[in-house]
Amino acid sequence: MQLKLTAALVLGLLAGCGGQAPLVSVDPALPTGDPRQERLVFNECAIYFAAVQKLQADGRRANGDPTRGCPADAAARPTDINPMVSVPSVSPGFPQDLYNRMIARGVPTDLADDISRSKAFWDLVAFRDSTVGSF
């Protein structure tokens, strides 16, 4: 009986966690605790806070909690998520992963599309690429 109760609790917990957005990802190419890793997470979180602020200004809501697991002080960082006129298309690798994380965390697709053409998005991609490239 005890085993059945434990199994039921575990399955219930797993089912309840299924739809939650993942915590902010760390880059496996960098060692844990590396200050550049913290900067990557902080800058990604700043994008999520800016997205939530944009949605609220437009009278909309996210499909989840984009800022889950983010440091609260990332909300104060000025972040330009407005689409630029000329940008590269979202390419495989980190840009596509970042775009997919925005969607998974609840940023609506139309806003994620705009953000993927923003200065903040491409600055983060460039910082990540230069950081990993110099490691």
Side-chain angles (χ1 to χ4, degrees), residues 39-62:
R39 184 170 167 203
L40 283 169
V41 168
F42 188 85
N43 290 344
E44 183 174 341
C45 284
I47 290 173
Y48 297 140
F49 280 109
V52 169
Q53 188 176 41
K54 169 89 170 119
L55 289 169
Q56 289 172 342
D58 293 346
R60 299 172 60 195
R61 305 185 91 195

Side-chain angles (χ1 to χ4, degrees), residues 75-110:
R77 183 179 184 276
T79 306
D80 183 0
I81 61 167
N82 295 309
M84 297 184 296
V85 176
S86 177
V87 294
S89 61
V90 174
S91 55
F94 183 71
Q96 186 64 53
D97 292 345
L98 180 56
Y99 177 84
N100 291 342
R101 279 201 301 270
M102 286 191 294
I103 300 295
R105 293 176 75 82
V107 175
T109 304
D110 64 317

